[in-house]
């Protein structure tokens, strides 16, 4: 969403940043850095994939704002 200086923009921006950090810290990193983790049940793997899908859509629709 466009930065209108309002609370909603700040909340959405803060939430997206926290969600991205959580996806990487809680899903991606353990699976990338640990060996011999048990294979996830299909429904858990699909849930994790869905979380990253939401994040990817948000990134794809975002625009980089020029610093003033």
């Amino acid at each position: 969403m466009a930065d209108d200086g309002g609370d909603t923009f700040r909340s959405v921006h803060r939430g997206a940043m926290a969600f991205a950090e959580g996806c990487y810290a809680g899903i991606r990193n353990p699976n990338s850095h640990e060996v011999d983790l048990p294979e996830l049940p299909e429904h858990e793997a699909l849930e994790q994939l869905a979380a990253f899908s939401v994040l990817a859509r948000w990134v794809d629709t975002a625009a980089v704002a020029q610093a003033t």
Side-chain angles (χ1 to χ4, degrees):
M1 69 183 298
D3 184 356
D4 60 1
D7 290 340
T8 301
F9 171 80
R10 284 191 294 278
S11 292
V12 169
H13 196 257
R14 188 178 70 244
M17 288 174 40
F19 185 67
E21 184 178 356
C23 283
Y24 276 84
I27 298 173
R28 186 237 177 231
N29 287 348
N31 289 307
S32 297
H33 299 294
E34 295 294 325
V35 294
D36 299 325
L37 287 177
E39 187 170 315
L40 291 174
E42 183 178 355
H43 70 279
E44 287 183 35
L46 289 171
E47 290 167 352
Q48 291 181 4
L49 182 60
F52 273 102
S53 179
V54 169
L55 180 60
R57 184 177 321 106
W58 289 352
V59 170
D60 191 47
T61 60
V64 177
Q66 296 293 326
T68 56

